[in-house]
Amino acid sequence: MIKTFDRTLLRLRRERAAVHIDDFDFLLRDVANVLIDRLAMIKNPLPLIVDLGGAHGVLSDLLKDRAGTETVVTTDLSFTLAARNPMGSVADEEIIPFKTASLDGVV
């Protein structure tokens, strides 16, 4: 399997960033709002969505309010960031831990 990034180094960097992420999440919040606007064009309900690499749940919080969405699972490589979300799970974006065709949306 080809690994795009050094996963151990990436996890360490995300753990380090988790300490102060609330102080510097302005860009995450801005991009999350833009993505929610784009997703509004999709009229089909998406009951189960995974926020892959969801950091501290900025996008997940907005997705929960989306009409037709019942469950949002947030994943992150960082244990600290994943633990901040009630539906958080530690997962590597390169090895997605979900059964094929079991999700309605992945962001």
Side-chain angles (χ1 to χ4, degrees):
M1 177 204 277
I2 297 173
K3 297 246 179 182
T4 307
F5 297 103
D6 178 339
R7 306 314 286 171
T8 304
L9 180 59
L10 182 59
R11 180 183 304 249
L12 289 172
R13 288 179 176 167
R14 291 185 72 78
E15 289 292 346
R16 186 180 64 202
V19 176
H20 298 291
I21 196 164
D22 290 324
D23 298 332
F24 303 101
D25 66 351
F26 59 92
L27 186 57
L28 290 173
R29 292 188 183 284
D30 189 45
V31 170
N33 283 314
V34 169
L35 186 54
I36 289 297
D37 288 343
R38 300 272 174 108
L39 286 173
M41 292 185 250
I42 300 172
K43 300 303 177 192
N44 294 343
L46 301 171
L48 178 58
I49 298 176
V50 171
D51 182 1
L52 197 61
H56 65 319
V58 170
L59 180 58
S60 295
D61 290 342
L62 295 173
L63 287 168
K64 290 173 190 170
D65 296 333
R66 185 182 182 278
T69 300
E70 298 167 12
T71 305
V72 178
V73 178
T74 305
T75 68
D76 200 276
L77 193 58
S78 162
F79 293 98
T80 305
L81 291 173
R84 293 180 62 164
N85 192 305
M87 290 293 291
S89 176
V90 176
D92 190 325
E93 298 89 0
E94 290 189 4
I95 308 168
I96 301 173
F98 299 98
K99 184 177 163 186
T100 302
S102 64
L103 306 169
D104 300 301
V106 178
V107 293

